[in-house]
Amino acid sequence: MEKLLEDLIFRLENEKTQSFRMIEDLSFDDKSLECIYTGKIFAFDFCIDALKHLLAYQNENAAKHQRN
């Protein structure tokens, strides 16, 4: 499960990077697309944060079970 979550985080980070590149490539006339890509970046950040918290929680529980 941990490997799957790490892989998902990696793919989301790649998508986030791609959205940053798309913003850089946009012309100055196309502000509506910039807003869309900015929203995607915020959504990717939120998902990545949630997945990292889930991984930390999973690792914490695994450490507790090993001690018991």
Side-chain angles (χ1 to χ4, degrees):
M1 175 90 159
E2 183 176 348
K3 181 65 179 155
L4 292 173
L5 291 173
E6 289 171 349
D7 182 54
L8 182 56
I9 290 169
F10 177 77
R11 289 185 291 157
L12 288 172
E13 287 174 341
N14 284 341
E15 288 293 325
K16 179 179 151 184
T17 301
Q18 184 64 26
S19 291
F20 274 117
R21 288 188 188 125
M22 294 299 290
I23 290 174
E24 290 173 355
D25 293 342
L26 290 175
S27 67
F28 288 107
D29 300 332
D30 209 353
K31 290 295 179 186
S32 61
L33 283 178
E34 183 177 344
C35 291
I36 292 170
Y37 286 116
T38 301
K40 285 178 69 173
I41 290 168
F42 282 121
F44 289 135
D45 275 340
F46 180 81
C47 292
I48 290 168
D49 256 0
L51 290 169
K52 286 181 178 179
H53 285 297
L54 184 61
L55 270 175
Y57 178 76
Q58 179 182 350
N59 289 337
E60 184 180 302
N61 279 341
K64 283 181 185 178
H65 285 278
Q66 286 178 351
R67 282 185 255 150
N68 294 335

